[in-house]
Amino acid sequence: MSMAEEQIEKTFGQVIVKEEKARMQSKAVAGRELLLKVLAFLSPSLLLVLWEILSRLGVIDVRLFSSPSRIFYALIPMLYSGELLYHTMVSTRRIVLGFLAGAIPGVAIGLSMGLFPPVRASLMPMVAATFPIPKLAVMPLILIIFGLGETSKIFTIAIGVFYLVLINTMAGVLNIDEIYLDVAKNFGASRLQFYTTVALPGALPMIFAGFKLGMGTALLLIVAAELSAAKAGVGWMVWRAYDMFDIEKMFVALITMAFLGYVFSSLLDLIERIVIPWKNPKG
Amino acid sequence: MEESKGLNCFFSTEAILTENLTKVFKTRVGNIIALEDVNISVKQGEFLCIVGPSGCGKTTFLRILGGLEKQTSGRFYMRSRNPQKPLTSMVFQGDSIFPWMTVAENVTYGLRIKGIPPRDRREAAIRFLKLMGLLKFIDAYPYQLSGGMKQRINVARAFVSDPEILLMDEPFGALDEQNRLILQQELLKIWEGSGKTSLFITHSIDEALMLGDRVMVMTAHPGKIKAIVEVDIERPRNILLLRSSPEFASLYREIWHLLQEEVEKAKARELSA
């Protein structure tokens, strides 16, 4: 073997070693990712198992904390009878209508407050003064005004959504980078062209952030809205279960709410991806 | 722009003429003179580069010409040879392409504002992006593009609107050296074909000499014209060969000396303040 060959072998040997190292590294990365996925699934399952075991051993009081199996056995007949679906639909209708009733005027007024300083100057004091009032504190008044029907529940949710969407929309317009205003001006955009090509699309990400916050509040308010003078709904289920001391049913209602929250936020994410295709998915 | 009385001499070969253009910013700490008595005439089809220490009012000068700001006193004239065309288009410093528009929509924004129908805009986008080798990104969004590509779109947007005068505010300032060289060469190529009167702000003497017919050196506080240097290097220019030519070296030295004085003055001012 000549010196040169030796040299090559030495070099190639090193290359191979390095390649193997790289392969091992990528394997290790994949392995770590898998491990994280498994952990994300395993830890809640483990908690459920622990909960079940502790309740069976009598360490925790099943009358207060129930157990996964008991909740499951309560859930199945409610699913079959359609009882759960009925209450879920009643609440969903209230949430959706309340959300729309709050979000649509929220966007409209938020946009005009962001775009027109006179509108902002005249409305801002009222918004600032009424925004901090807890929406629950207004509920009795809403009940007196709108009665015990659906309107009062939808209105309660609408009010909570309205403020969050309005404030986010206005901030979205006001926070558009000034350079984009300069570009529009330099190209001679009219006011209307400026609204449609810069102000509205520029504010969209913040508007959606407002929608998401609003949806969280809607789920919060549905329980309160169904506390008084309701005959159906997942919020009502919780209070009904409280009256009957039916802990399993209460847990079923809570799980349904978690599920509703998940569905609504996934739905908003989906709409956001369609409406804002230009948003970097990596943040 | 304004009525022509009081106009001393605005020949048909000139595209821009400024007369004692002055801009004062009122701030809490007092008045800042951003521009003082700037007098310059720019010939039709000329490429004028503007260099100067930061804070010398280069950007303010361009923004006044572009109609984004009003001068405090003085006046300027710009010749419109074709009233159908926009008078000026600006290439902004840094990231100014709309994140919510595709490459095609960004590039043809000026046409959209003018009310050109979508099909014609699409054609214009295809024609221009082909020229810049960006055709396959025509429907991409800015977040999918590199910094160099974004600046190409930024420049393309101004060219596609087909203005009489191009105003460029350090368009390549944030790019790395390789991208910068490539974009400079590309800009020269499109510009030489278009014959557009162009004003170009830069920090780099290299860049000013590669692109410009003349280089306007400015002073800071107040922003004034210190000197105007003719760049007698023939076109079309090859950026790489240019750098090693003796004319380039001597012009570089000349401008560097002019700037050095200014930089030192600025330093002295900072120390005394």
Side-chain angles (χ1 to χ4, degrees):
Chain A
M1 203 189 278
S2 71
M3 287 267 283
E5 274 171 2
E6 221 168 89
Q7 195 60 44
I8 287 167
E9 201 197 75
K10 248 189 207 160
T11 321
F12 273 99
Q14 276 175 348
V15 169
I16 288 161
V17 170
K18 274 186 189 159
E19 243 176 37
E20 251 169 27
K21 258 192 191 159
R23 210 174 298 147
M24 271 156 60
Q25 258 175 4
S26 71
K27 254 188 201 165
V29 169
R32 205 177 308 141
E33 269 170 17
L34 188 69
L35 180 74
L36 290 178
K37 271 184 193 154
V38 170
L39 273 178
F41 175 76
L42 210 63
S43 88
S45 320
L46 214 68
L47 189 70
L48 285 178
V49 171
L50 200 69
W51 183 4
E52 184 70 39
I53 292 170
L54 290 180
S55 65
R56 289 200 181 196
L57 290 176
V59 178
I60 54 175
D61 190 343
V62 283
R63 285 171 306 172
L64 299 181
F65 297 102
S66 191
S67 77
S69 59
R70 280 162 176 256
I71 295 166
F72 184 73
Y73 287 128
L75 173 75
I76 295 299
M78 284 172 81
L79 265 180
Y80 270 108
S81 67
E83 186 191 349
L84 190 60
L85 186 70
Y86 169 69
H87 290 295
T88 309
M89 290 319 286
V90 167
S91 290
T92 302
R93 182 171 174 273
R94 286 171 184 156
I95 292 173
V96 169
L97 289 179
F99 183 81
L100 291 177
I104 293 169
V107 168
I109 298 173
L111 279 178
S112 40
M113 282 176 78
L115 288 170
F116 311 111
V119 177
R120 186 160 67 244
S122 40
L123 294 186
M124 201 57 208
M126 287 175 263
V127 172
T130 52
F131 176 53
I133 300 174
K135 305 305 165 278
L136 295 180
V138 193
M139 262 201 69
L141 185 64
I142 293 172
L143 282 175
I144 292 171
I145 296 172
F146 292 103
L148 305 175
E150 286 297 282
T151 320
S152 60
K153 293 163 192 79
I154 292 170
F155 195 81
T156 305
I157 294 171
I159 270 195
V161 174
F162 171 75
Y163 280 98
L164 291 170
V165 171
L166 181 146
I167 284 167
N168 266 273
T169 304
M170 183 179 71
V173 175
L174 293 176
N175 284 337
I176 294 173
D177 199 332
E178 230 167 274
I179 199 159
Y180 301 128
L181 315 188
D182 280 348
V183 174
K185 196 174 171 191
N186 182 249
F187 279 105
S190 67
R191 282 193 84 89
L192 187 68
Q193 283 171 326
F194 170 72
Y195 301 150
T196 54
T197 63
V198 178
L200 185 63
L204 267 182
M206 284 286 279
I207 293 176
F208 262 87
F211 285 168
K212 287 176 186 175
L213 286 172
M215 187 49 83
T217 305
L219 288 166
L220 197 96
L221 289 174
I222 189 75
V223 184
E226 289 174 350
L227 162 63
S228 48
K231 290 179 195 70
V234 280
W236 173 84
M237 271 172 77
V238 175
W239 294 111
R240 180 76 180 166
Y242 169 78
D243 289 338
M244 313 291 283
F245 201 69
D246 189 345
I247 297 294
E248 277 75 35
K249 224 172 202 173
M250 204 183 270
F251 271 101
V252 169
L254 293 179
I255 292 166
T256 310
M257 278 181 200
F259 178 72
L260 265 183
Y262 175 76
V263 168
F264 280 128
S265 84
S266 307
L267 208 65
L268 277 179
D269 282 342
L270 182 74
I271 297 171
E272 187 182 23
R273 271 200 297 280
I274 295 166
V275 177
I276 318 182
W278 47 270
K279 199 176 166 194
N280 189 349
K282 278 177 224 146
Chain B
M1 286 306 277
E2 297 176 17
E3 81 277 27
S4 56
K5 73 174 177 203
L7 181 63
N8 298 333
C9 46
F10 190 33
F11 298 115
S12 59
T13 52
E14 285 169 335
I16 305 170
L17 181 71
T18 71
E19 273 184 1
N20 300 330
L21 209 58
T22 300
K23 174 78 184 181
V24 181
F25 286 109
K26 289 193 171 68
T27 67
R28 259 168 288 160
V29 288
N31 289 350
I32 291 174
I33 306 169
L35 285 178
E36 193 176 61
D37 293 333
V38 172
N39 292 298
I40 188 161
S41 90
V42 184
K43 283 191 279 297
Q44 200 71 249
E46 182 178 356
F47 201 120
L48 178 77
C49 286
I50 304 168
V51 297
S54 21
C56 72
K58 302 176 293 234
T59 297
T60 306
F61 180 58
L62 225 62
R63 287 174 65 88
I64 290 173
L65 295 184
L68 295 177
E69 259 167 66
K70 279 255 171 294
Q71 69 270 33
T72 312
S73 66
R75 29 173 124 189
F76 64 96
Y77 311 93
M78 286 197 281
R79 185 178 306 283
S80 164
R81 287 179 304 173
N82 181 353
Q84 302 291 334
K85 290 184 179 181
L87 193 55
T88 64
S89 275
M90 209 152 167
V91 179
F92 291 86
Q93 194 174 10
D95 211 352
S96 75
I97 64 174
F98 298 120
W100 49 84
M101 292 184 193
T102 63
V103 167
E105 288 166 348
N106 259 300
V107 163
T108 57
Y109 184 68
L111 304 181
R112 178 172 172 184
I113 295 299
K114 272 200 295 184
I116 308 278
R119 190 182 299 168
D120 297 348
R121 298 205 303 255
R122 184 83 187 172
E123 272 170 25
I126 291 173
R127 204 170 343 114
F128 219 85
L129 291 171
K130 208 180 256 173
L131 194 72
M132 304 194 88
L134 285 173
L135 193 56
K136 66 174 169 179
F137 295 102
I138 186 162
D139 293 316
Y141 283 104
Y143 80 87
Q144 296 162 309
L145 305 177
S146 69
M149 285 184 204
K150 284 187 201 169
Q151 277 318 85
R152 278 191 182 86
I153 310 286
N154 194 355
V155 174
R157 182 171 62 186
F159 265 97
V160 170
S161 73
D162 198 21
E164 306 242 1
I165 296 163
L166 268 175
L167 304 170
M168 294 175 267
D169 186 3
E170 267 193 84
F172 310 143
L175 297 180
D176 60 76
E177 185 71 11
Q178 285 135 325
N179 261 313
R180 202 178 233 270
L181 283 174
I182 292 166
L183 265 94
Q184 285 164 355
Q185 192 73 68
E186 275 175 11
L187 175 63
L188 273 184
K189 204 174 74 188
I190 334 173
W191 174 78
E192 275 160 3
S194 74
K196 289 191 191 309
T197 309
S198 301
L199 268 61
F200 188 104
I201 293 178
T202 174
H203 262 121
S204 148
I205 303 174
D206 272 330
E207 191 165 68
L209 291 175
M210 285 167 188
L211 301 173
D213 294 314
R214 286 190 296 166
V215 178
M216 173 169 135
V217 182
M218 291 184 72
T219 67
H221 311 284
K224 280 182 164 181
I225 298 179
K226 185 180 175 82
I228 293 173
V229 179
E230 294 272 344
V231 183
D232 261 330
I233 301 176
E234 62 181 25
R235 293 182 190 273
R237 293 178 185 169
N238 179 322
I239 279 175
L240 290 175
L241 296 180
L242 194 69
R243 274 186 156 176
S244 50
S245 73
E247 301 111 291
F248 185 90
S250 74
L251 283 168
Y252 190 102
R253 261 197 307 279
E254 186 182 343
I255 294 173
W256 173 239
H257 284 307
L258 290 165
L259 276 176
Q260 203 178 17
E261 280 175 29
E262 284 314 305
V263 173
E264 267 158 21
K265 261 192 238 163
K267 213 185 271 171
R269 228 186 345 261
E270 252 169 48
L271 287 176
S272 67

